[in-house]
Amino acid sequence: MAHGHGPGRCRCCGEEAAERGAAWGLYLRIDRQRLQCLNERREGSGATVFRPWEERGDRSQFVESDDDEELLFNIPFTGSVKLKGVIVMGEEDGTHPAEMRLFRNIPHMSFDDTAKEPEQTFNLSQDPLGELEYPTKIARFSNVYHLSMHFPKNFGAETTKIFYIGLKGEWTEAHRHEVTICNYEASANPADHKLEQITPQTHFIS
């Protein structure tokens, strides 16, 4: 239902925006120390596109491809993720990526590895405002600890530019398996091992 807006900020719209921003909070669960972006022109720029939803309009932060139009992100998470949706924001021109291919749980992917069949492929539309959400097949992305995003082509430019990537979903803490430490005796203590008298002639190891 439509509602009027006073001179101040609409409270319900503000709450709605806050809820939407929280939904796109998986960037907080990325292990940034191990995040990789292959073929980025400026080192470290790929990591800048994963930021708060409210800051997606910051045009000073972006990644641009280097040798050709391809980009490949390797995104490790700090736990297990159920990925539900993706936003990809670029320019309204030929530099905007035209296709996105998602792979799950293949750490350290290279461009050679992108010959594999992806879990899901999307044909992208130009989205300069970061408004288009691409829903994933949740059954295929319900236990993701590493996400790879391959952008193989754009809308005709020599290089690809991405300003923001939003990841929506749920995060759960990784289950760490307890390590069992076994202590072995370096040398047997005769007092702990009472041996019966053994007759050499009748007991032997073949």
Side-chain angles (χ1 to χ4, degrees), residues 90-140:
E91 295 276 23
E92 198 169 10
D93 60 17
T95 65
H96 195 294
E99 184 178 313
M100 174 175 65
R101 306 168 74 236
L102 301 183
F103 301 83
R104 63 182 286 271
N105 300 343
I106 309 177
H108 311 296
M109 271 194 75
S110 68
F111 283 110
D112 291 338
D113 296 323
T114 60
K116 301 175 186 287
E117 186 71 22
E119 297 291 338
Q120 194 169 356
T121 300
F122 298 88
N123 291 319
L124 304 180
S125 299
Q126 291 179 347
D127 183 16
L129 299 178
E131 295 177 334
L132 301 179
E133 176 183 346
Y134 298 92
T136 63
K137 297 176 182 177
I138 297 177
R140 297 189 179 184

Side-chain angles (χ1 to χ4, degrees), residues 11 51 126 138 171 180:
R11 183 174 180 181
R51 57 181 186 269
Q126 291 179 347
I138 297 177
W171 175 88
T180 302

Side-chain angles (χ1 to χ4, degrees), residues 149-161:
M149 309 179 74
H150 179 218
F151 299 93
K153 60 184 180 181
N154 57 25
F155 284 91
E158 292 184 2
T159 61
T160 295
K161 271 188 182 181

